[in-house]
Amino acid sequence: MDWKEVVLREEALRRAMLASDVSSLDKLLADELVFVDHLGRKVTKRDDLEAHRQKRFQLHQLDIVAQDKRVVGGNVVTVSEVVLAGITDGEAFTDRLVYTRVWRKDVEHGWQVTSGRCTRIK
């Protein structure tokens, strides 16, 4: 399996998150996405797109510090340590997080995130 395409998709996702590019996010996130944020809240694709659309979540920085990837069955799992800064619900923040994402190849849309989780690290 060629996971290099997933690395390109990770970068496209990073750029889309920074730009709150809802159209690109819609293509990169699977309809059945379930994401668990650093506070333990479940976030659906719809929730994520609405937060970007309504500017409730805006990123000004999203730097990948380290990234690892593994092929698991027909999927690719990425683990990325990131530094990010922005505004969420009107409050400025800066965090260091580890994102774990499961990418699945969809026949129509290509590689999409189907599941994810982020954990705050110090």
Side-chain angles (χ1 to χ4, degrees):
M1 173 183 298
D2 186 9
W3 47 261
K4 293 176 185 171
E5 188 177 341
V6 171
V7 173
L8 295 174
R9 289 283 178 124
E10 279 277 341
E11 176 57 20
L13 181 61
R14 187 185 79 77
R15 287 191 317 266
M17 290 171 67
L18 279 166
S20 287
D21 180 348
V22 174
S23 177
S24 292
L25 288 169
D26 186 41
K27 294 172 188 166
L28 291 164
L29 304 176
D31 289 342
E32 66 275 9
L33 170 75
V34 176
F35 182 79
V36 179
D37 72 12
H38 66 287
L39 299 174
R41 297 177 297 204
K42 290 181 185 175
V43 179
T44 65
K45 175 179 178 175
R46 182 177 179 195
D47 297 333
D48 190 55
L49 295 179
E50 277 305 305
H52 282 280
R53 188 176 286 117
Q54 295 177 9
K55 306 293 186 198
R56 290 191 327 258
F57 182 71
Q58 295 177 286
L59 291 175
H60 307 297
Q61 175 187 3
L62 177 52
D63 298 331
I64 298 173
V65 176
Q67 188 173 68
D68 192 16
K69 54 228 158 276
R70 300 269 191 275
V71 176
V72 180
N75 299 318
V76 175
V77 176
T78 59
V79 179
S80 306
E81 182 178 336
V82 304
V83 174
L84 65 148
I87 299 171
T88 184
D89 293 322
E91 298 286 323
F93 70 91
T94 301
D95 264 324
R96 190 174 196 96
L97 303 169
V98 172
Y99 281 89
T100 302
R101 294 188 183 101
V102 177
W103 291 83
R104 183 196 73 222
K105 192 164 192 176
D106 180 80
V107 174
E108 184 179 343
H109 302 288
W111 289 99
Q112 293 183 306
V113 179
T114 62
S115 177
R117 175 168 182 82
C118 70
T119 304
R120 181 180 284 142
I121 58 175
K122 296 184 182 202

